[in-house]
Amino acid sequence: MEKNKQPKLINPAELFDPGPYGFSHSIAVESPSTMCFISGQSGGVGENHVLADDFKTQVQDALKNLHIVLQSHSMTFENIVKITLLIVDHNQEKLEIWAEEARNVWKSSFLPTSTLIPVSQLALPGMLFEIDAIAVKQLAN
């Protein structure tokens, strides 16, 4: 990797400070394209990471947080090429909620690759959903 092309950490001010927890919200790597590796975004809102009680709201809030990170890299959902979903106590109803919300943000036929991992719990009490992503943007020649 060229000296001036080192990975760039971006932690949007609108999201909580992840430093004390040992991770960054995202890292971009520039080459012929910019690759952005985005940490798991949950349904937590604000500095205190307040979580809604219901799965659908947490999915919507997580997607809003993911959108904030994407915007900080001048990217959109269309730049995402890979997502990983973590769902607590996964079932068909939760899958249908996720599918509906995914259709709301990915309006084109270009859908990212995806892995869904059912889990018994996540990092914080009450956390029901988490999504991480890899996004790519071609650089202008």
Side-chain angles (χ1 to χ4, degrees), residues 36-48:
C36 180
F37 300 85
I38 303 170
S39 288
Q41 298 299 310
S42 70
V45 177
E47 184 63 31
N48 295 326

Side-chain angles (χ1 to χ4, degrees), residues 1-118:
M1 186 177 307
E2 296 175 32
K3 262 189 180 177
N4 61 348
K5 298 290 185 181
Q6 294 300 314
K8 182 178 180 183
L9 298 177
I10 297 183
N11 291 304
E14 297 91 343
L15 300 178
F16 72 96
D17 177 10
Y21 304 101
F23 70 96
S24 294
H25 283 294
S26 63
I27 297 173
V29 178
E30 291 186 14
S31 64
S33 60
T34 297
M35 294 182 68
C36 180
F37 300 85
I38 303 170
S39 288
Q41 298 299 310
S42 70
V45 177
E47 184 63 31
N48 295 326
H49 208 70
V50 176
L51 293 162
D53 291 334
D54 68 290
F55 181 77
K56 183 173 184 167
T57 303
Q58 284 197 26
V59 170
Q60 291 169 337
D61 289 343
L63 289 170
K64 288 175 191 173
N65 290 339
L66 180 55
H67 187 247
I68 289 169
V69 176
L70 288 165
Q71 285 182 314
S72 72
H73 291 278
S74 300
M75 294 185 186
T76 69
F77 283 97
E78 302 304 316
N79 293 105
I80 294 177
V81 296
K82 172 74 170 101
I83 57 174
T84 302
L85 309 171
L86 302 166
I87 298 177
V88 172
D89 299 327
H90 172 67
N91 58 37
Q92 187 62 33
E93 179 185 357
K94 289 179 179 178
L95 183 58
E96 290 169 10
I97 290 169
W98 161 251
E100 177 185 348
E101 296 306 320
R103 285 190 298 271
N104 288 335
V105 296
W106 281 283
K107 295 178 179 14
S108 74
S109 61
F110 184 84
L111 298 172
T113 60
S114 177
T115 300
L116 188 154
I117 303 171

Side-chain angles (χ1 to χ4, degrees), residues 126-138:
M127 212 168 135
L128 303 174
F129 178 82
E130 187 170 359
I131 179 172
D132 73 14
I134 299 172
V136 177
K137 178 174 65 172
Q138 275 306 115

